[in-house]
Amino acid sequence: MRRSAIPVLLLTLLVGCAPHEPSAGDASSTFPSAPQSTPSPSPSSPASESYTFRLPLAVYSYSDADYEVIRSAEQVLARDCMRDFGLSYRPARNPAPAEAQDRRYGLTDRASAERYGYRMPPQPETPKAKLTEDQIKVLYGNRSAPAAAVKNSELRYRGKKVPDEGCLGAAVLGFRKPYEDEAGAEVASRIATASYENSQKVPEVRAVFKKWSSCMKQKGYDYTSPLEAMAAPAFVRGKVSAVEKDTAEADVSCKERTRLAEVWFAAESSIQKDMIKAEAGALRRLGELHEKKLRAARKILAGA
């Protein structure tokens, strides 16, 4: 959820398919399980008013807590694989994420605007697990070796073949495979993108953009839409300036005055409901597979 990348972030969160390649020695990350973007808010957090996670399509997403269950299960599978090689493995604990920031309809958090302008609040640094060379070799497989050494080579440890992607990659990919649904994921992605783009053409949304723009002009800023303000080159590079903070504060103030986010959310929700009805079968299967994957992850953790 910003410029043209806003719908892309939603896709990542809804479909749950953002890859992440951990560097050798970084055992606190998974190979490609959780989204590397704004975390989804839990129901108890102040960010639970997130517009994105109240959209109709969000029913087919994983929550932050769901991702942690899946990640933990993957780590158990990786640990068991390491044991098969006679190696111990205990991943570092993930720190609590910074408060979620929903930017689907632009910046809406006044405190964040005052402190960070249009930038995302910094996330806490993920601790690194201390690993030996042997642990790194088996945990990450060929990804831990120089590219030249990987070509046409078979990695072995104590005479036993190491998975090409290592124990961690094998655990993640192996656990994911039975629950993959490319068709359902494509449908969810298409709806997320189309609903976002089409919502900007709705008369009520176009009207509220004009009201927001007029409000900004009264404060000395000339922008036709909140996405234009947030994507201004001066506000995405370099240090956060006083001008950026002032602009961001005015932006949020005008959104509150015009109820821009609420109007936009209502328009996109209506569009999504119609699109979901037309793709009910595919989305139902996607949701069912998500539930099966969560149940399987909980079962792994229960037996750990």
Side-chain angles (χ1 to χ4, degrees), residues 188-266:
S189 296
R190 177 160 40 83
I191 291 175
T193 301
S195 66
Y196 179 79
E197 293 175 349
N198 292 341
S199 65
Q200 297 177 58
K201 303 171 187 176
V202 172
E204 290 82 359
V205 175
R206 295 171 69 89
V208 82
F209 272 24
K210 288 182 179 179
K211 290 180 181 178
W212 175 88
S213 180
S214 176
C215 175
M216 288 292 281
K217 274 189 177 178
Q218 292 173 16
K219 295 177 181 291
Y221 304 99
D222 187 15
Y223 294 105
T224 58
S225 84
L227 301 184
E228 180 187 349
M230 191 163 60
F235 300 159
V236 295
R237 292 192 295 269
K239 294 183 178 180
V240 179
S241 65
V243 171
E244 178 179 345
K245 291 180 181 179
D246 290 344
T247 306
E249 289 178 49
D251 181 350
V252 173
S253 176
C254 285
K255 283 195 182 82
E256 292 173 348
R257 183 184 300 180
T258 61
R259 300 187 73 251
L260 182 146
E262 290 86 345
V263 172
W264 197 349
F265 170 78

Side-chain angles (χ1 to χ4, degrees), residues 68-223:
E68 183 58 26
V69 169
I70 292 169
R71 190 199 76 88
S72 298
E74 292 165 349
Q75 295 286 0
V76 169
L77 295 175
R79 180 204 66 188
D80 293 346
C81 173
M82 293 286 281
R83 284 178 178 173
D84 290 341
F85 288 90
L87 296 169
S88 62
Y89 170 58
R90 178 179 294 180
R93 294 182 65 86
N94 276 352
E99 184 174 322
Q101 288 279 316
D102 185 354
R103 300 289 178 91
R104 188 161 181 83
Y105 305 130
L107 178 64
T108 56
D109 185 87
R110 184 180 291 274
S112 182
E114 293 172 352
R115 188 169 182 182
Y116 305 110
Y118 285 102
R119 320 301 171 93
M120 295 297 289
Q123 292 289 315
E125 186 175 346
T126 301
K128 302 287 193 302
K130 295 181 179 179
L131 302 174
T132 66
E133 288 187 10
D134 285 349
Q135 286 174 315
I136 291 173
K137 176 180 178 179
V138 177
L139 187 64
Y140 295 109
N142 284 332
R143 291 179 298 133
S144 68
V150 171
K151 191 175 181 180
N152 299 322
S153 67
E154 184 180 88
L155 191 61
R156 305 187 74 85
Y157 180 75
R158 293 181 179 175
K160 185 175 180 180
K161 185 181 183 306
V162 176
D164 290 342
E165 60 279 355
C167 278
L168 184 56
V172 173
L173 296 175
F175 183 59
R176 170 193 291 179
K177 193 169 183 62
Y179 310 103
E180 288 181 336
D181 181 10
E182 292 184 7
E186 190 280 328
V187 168
S189 296
R190 177 160 40 83
I191 291 175
T193 301
S195 66
Y196 179 79
E197 293 175 349
N198 292 341
S199 65
Q200 297 177 58
K201 303 171 187 176
V202 172
E204 290 82 359
V205 175
R206 295 171 69 89
V208 82
F209 272 24
K210 288 182 179 179
K211 290 180 181 178
W212 175 88
S213 180
S214 176
C215 175
M216 288 292 281
K217 274 189 177 178
Q218 292 173 16
K219 295 177 181 291
Y221 304 99
D222 187 15
Y223 294 105

